[in-house]
Amino acid sequence: MAKTKHEVSLTPMLNAYPDSLGGTLSDIADLLESSCKDAFGAFYILPSVFNTDLDRGFSVIDYHLNELLATPQDLERIRALGVQLKLDFILNHASVLSPQFQDLLKNGEASKYKDFFIDWNDFWAGCGEMMPEGYIQPAPEYLHKMFFRKPGLPILMVRMPDGTEKPYWNTFYQQVDYPCPDARELVAALGMQYQSACALAESLQIQLEAGKRPAELELGRWELLRSKLTDLLESRRRYLGQMDLNVASPLVWEFYSDTLHTLAGYGACIVRLDAFAYAHKAVGEHNFLNEPGTWDILARLQMLADADGVTLLPEIHASYSEKVYEKLAAKGYAVYDFFLPGLLIDALERGNADTLAGWAQEILDKHILTVNMLGCHDGIPMLDLKGLLPEERIQSLIDLIVSRGGMVKNLHGQKNVYYQVNATYYSALGENDAKLLMARAIQMFMPGKPQVWYLDLFAGKNDYDAVARAGEGGHKEINRTNLTRAQIEEALEKPIVTKQLELLRMRCNCPAFAPGADVSIESRGHVLTIEWKHDGHTACLQADLQKLTYHIDTV
């Protein structure tokens, strides 16, 4: 196994939102103390454990605990079980509701934080054409290396205190709302008669709720009030979203230091760097994994993390052919094995483990420490497999999972440029208990640290009602069902759940699964053998992918 910046235990890691299992983090602590006792050595708590708004926690207002879901005592109970904590640090962006952005909205140019976020026009000054809407359209030669996560330019137009509009860099989610004034406000602002104001307020409410912007409103008999009304509505504009941070600002680095210190104070042993590769931006260069800028940021973060004794886990999705995983490993970091979920489905459906075994052998030969998984809060990765599987096999995987109810996540809004498929892993496997159990058994023997999505453990099925409730862009909710205590108790009676817990306890407690263990892998087509040896202890898996049977020996 690889030598990393800090020692990483190879025990299984639970992965869940704080409200995934029972409703609060306290309920999860109860579960770890009882039915799941001794099954996990770590717990990755997703960032809705903090004070957040959009994107199920990945738009952080501040890193105080979410008072509805978690308390310091909950964290202490989990740590008391010997379970290490892994927490998220979203370093590319912060919520528009963050204290820093709210100060900017209030004070404009006088704000202490005016350089905390990326002023789009300052960034691209002299590199494009100013558009009538008030933003610079960069010249084509500056955009050919850019990678945008949504259609159009990644900007949010923000109204400043003096009424001017400024564009700020906004890579991910945004939401703009116009609260509707009531009749009394219209009377005061526009000098209207009360009955007319009531009628206009009713019309505005319907149109604004339908998503119309002020300039698009149909005003009919009140058309002469458009200018004043537009100004009133724009002054009331409200935002939700994730505003990119300016890593050139010293205040951002103070924020980074304070955040890592806060996470360490919660007891975090591992800190996942979400959207890490988007943080460094430079004119004419890539805005995703910009080298060497991205690695320079990581080196500075490492110095801050060292001061608090936490291990950093950078998250980067990239195709196998780009070899980003090798670069991270060479710098001493554990890497996410985003290849395993697709490779396992491919192996189980084809009844052949050769490609899977080849990847596992590469991990060993190159001394890479991985964090692997089946499902997670995101989709099943497909882009990552490019260069590892032939294109036609990747497309076959996508078609298969979609035929079983999955939903394709296309790359930054472009159709047929695949990124991932959203589905529960159980549904992706055709809701076949034997396949899920086989996948879990193989995961337990793969090199690296296994991470377990809570819904996989309980054999969760695709949640189409959750997708419908979430509306546009809600495809990810297909695999994020919050389980009640009653649903958990019912599931704990099912063999598919109890057998997975047996595998987890075996992996968690068998001394053979240790850093520095000797691991051997052999594939004979449909039969896969993986053996771990450490300090006189042995654990061996022999799995038949055609018969969907396996045997485990531990000594």
Side-chain angles (χ1 to χ4, degrees):
M1 296 298 165
K3 291 182 67 176
T4 55
K5 300 290 184 183
H6 295 98
E7 186 64 61
V8 176
S9 160
L10 298 185
T11 54
M13 175 162 52
L14 177 64
N15 178 201
Y17 293 101
D19 52 344
S20 292
L21 296 166
T24 68
L25 194 59
S26 178
D27 294 307
I28 299 180
D30 290 344
L31 192 64
L32 291 172
E33 289 172 344
S34 56
S35 303
C36 292
K37 186 176 176 60
D38 298 326
F40 297 100
F43 180 15
Y44 169 26
I45 312 174
L46 282 153
S48 54
V49 72
F50 306 126
N51 179 22
T52 65
D53 46 48
L54 286 179
D55 198 17
R56 196 69 186 265
F58 284 92
S59 180
V60 176
I61 299 170
D62 60 54
Y63 285 85
H64 295 131
L65 294 179
N66 182 333
E67 61 186 19
L68 297 178
L69 301 180
T71 68
Q73 291 73 31
D74 298 331
L75 295 174
E76 178 55 40
R77 284 177 62 194
I78 293 168
R79 293 198 305 271
L81 295 169
V83 174
Q84 295 182 332
L85 294 180
K86 171 183 164 187
L87 299 175
D88 267 305
F89 179 17
I90 294 85
L91 60 92
N92 177 70
H93 49 260
S95 167
V96 298
L97 295 182
S98 64
Q100 297 87 349
F101 201 80
Q102 289 300 301
D103 189 272
L104 177 64
L105 290 176
K106 179 181 178 181
N107 297 306
E109 287 297 309
S111 172
K112 172 184 178 182
Y113 298 103
K114 75 172 201 169
D115 297 323
F116 197 84
F117 302 91
I118 303 174
D119 183 319
W120 179 269
N121 287 347
D122 283 351
F123 185 91
W124 292 105
C127 298
E129 178 185 357
M130 179 64 72
M131 306 303 288
E133 296 84 357
Y135 63 84
I136 290 177
Q137 172 68 50
E141 62 264 28
Y142 294 111
L143 291 180
H144 75 281
K145 292 184 179 179
M146 304 299 284
F147 175 81
F148 296 149
R149 288 293 299 263
K150 56 191 178 186
L153 297 176
I155 57 177
L156 176 66
M157 297 301 298
V158 175
R159 185 181 175 94
M160 305 309 287
D162 62 2
T164 60
E165 300 277 338
K166 273 196 172 185
Y168 281 89
W169 200 308
N170 166 244
T171 293
F172 294 96
Y173 290 90
Q174 64 173 248
Q175 180 178 320
V176 179
D177 298 308
Y178 292 91
C180 185
D182 64 19
R184 290 165 295 182
E185 292 172 292
L186 293 176
V187 168
L190 306 180
M192 301 181 69
Q193 292 184 355
Y194 181 71
Q195 294 297 330
S196 288
C198 288
L200 178 56
E202 182 178 353
S203 173
L204 292 177
Q205 185 75 38
I206 294 170
Q207 294 185 69
L208 291 172
E209 287 183 353
K212 285 192 175 182
R213 298 292 181 101
E216 301 168 339
L217 295 172
E218 297 176 11
L219 299 182
R221 65 184 298 167
W222 297 291
E223 182 62 37
L224 291 177
L225 297 175
R226 178 174 295 278
S227 179
K228 289 184 178 180
L229 178 61
T230 298
D231 190 62
L232 172 64
L233 292 174
E234 291 293 358
S235 71
R236 298 163 58 87
R237 190 193 309 167
R238 298 292 181 265
Y239 314 92
L240 288 174
Q242 299 155 293
M243 304 309 298
D244 288 37
L245 304 186
N246 177 16
V247 295
S249 167
L251 285 178
V252 167
W253 283 94
E254 288 183 21
F255 168 72
Y256 285 172
S257 178
D258 291 344
T259 300
L260 284 169
H261 189 65
T262 296
L263 299 179
Y266 291 141
C269 295
I270 302 173
V271 171
R272 174 182 176 270
L273 301 180
D274 176 75
F276 152 71
Y278 289 95
H280 189 274
K281 302 172 180 71
V283 172
E285 299 296 336
H286 296 281
N287 63 312
F288 176 81
L289 194 58
N290 178 23
E291 300 180 281
T294 297
W295 306 126
D296 293 341
I297 288 176
L298 184 56
R300 289 184 67 180
L301 287 168
Q302 186 62 58
M303 288 190 289
L304 297 178
D306 286 343
D308 285 307
V310 298
T311 296
L312 298 181
L313 179 58
E315 182 242 6
I316 302 180
H317 275 284
S319 68
Y320 173 84
S321 58
E322 294 174 84
K323 304 297 182 184
V324 175
Y325 65 94
E326 286 188 1
K327 295 179 181 180
L328 270 175
K331 293 178 183 295
Y333 292 94
V335 301
Y336 274 107
D337 185 354
F338 290 125
F339 312 112
L340 181 63
L343 288 179
L344 266 173
I345 297 174
D346 174 74
L348 289 169
E349 295 301 326
R350 295 173 63 248
N352 187 297
D354 287 349
T355 307
L356 174 64
W359 164 238
Q361 191 62 53
E362 181 180 348
I363 295 173
L364 297 176
D365 292 343
K366 296 181 178 177
H367 306 287
I368 299 171
L369 174 60
T370 62
V371 174
N372 60 49
M373 67 205 74
L374 303 183
C376 67
H377 72 279
D378 230 334
I380 298 171
M382 291 292 145
L383 173 67
D384 305 70
L385 294 172
K386 289 176 73 71
L388 183 54
L389 289 182
E391 197 70 28
E392 60 272 16
R393 273 169 65 184
I394 298 175
Q395 190 59 54
S396 293
L397 281 176
I398 295 172
D399 294 342
L400 176 68
I401 300 171
V402 169
S403 75
R404 292 170 173 172
M407 299 180 175
V408 174
K409 166 65 174 177
N410 294 296
L411 198 57
H412 54 87
Q414 295 184 31
K415 296 298 182 183
N416 302 318
V417 183
Y418 59 76
Y419 176 50
Q420 59 190 23
V421 182
N422 294 99
T424 72
Y425 209 75
Y426 183 54
S427 290
L429 290 172
E431 298 175 4
N432 182 306
D433 286 10
K435 287 182 179 178
L436 179 60
L437 195 59
M438 174 69 80
R440 182 70 70 208
I442 293 173
Q443 185 200 13
M444 290 301 100
F445 277 80
M446 281 292 292
K449 183 177 182 69
Q451 179 176 291
V452 178
W453 184 235
Y454 75 99
L455 206 54
D456 294 345
L457 176 61
F458 292 97
K461 299 180 181 180
N462 287 341
D463 191 340
Y464 305 111
D465 289 340
V467 173
R469 288 193 301 270
E472 184 179 358
H475 49 275
K476 291 182 179 181
E477 298 305 311
I478 199 170
N479 187 29
R480 297 176 175 181
T481 306
N482 285 342
L483 301 177
T484 65
R485 278 181 172 262
Q487 289 172 320
I488 294 167
E489 291 302 319
E490 180 181 356
L492 285 167
E493 300 297 319
K494 297 178 180 179
I496 185 58
V497 178
T498 58
K499 290 178 180 178
Q500 284 188 80
L501 285 170
E502 289 173 7
L503 286 168
L504 287 163
R505 290 190 175 98
M506 180 275 301
R507 172 67 192 245
C508 197
N509 298 292
C510 177
F513 298 101
D518 292 324
V519 184
S520 62
I521 297 163
E522 181 185 3
S523 174
R524 298 194 305 277
H526 64 96
V527 177
L528 176 68
T529 303
I530 308 178
E531 185 176 63
W532 288 62
K533 293 182 178 180
H534 180 74
D535 198 23
H537 300 276
T538 301
C540 184
L541 166 75
Q542 187 170 77
D544 189 317
L545 276 68
Q546 289 184 354
K547 296 180 180 178
L548 295 178
T549 58
Y550 65 86
H551 179 74
I552 294 173
D553 283 319
T554 59
V555 178

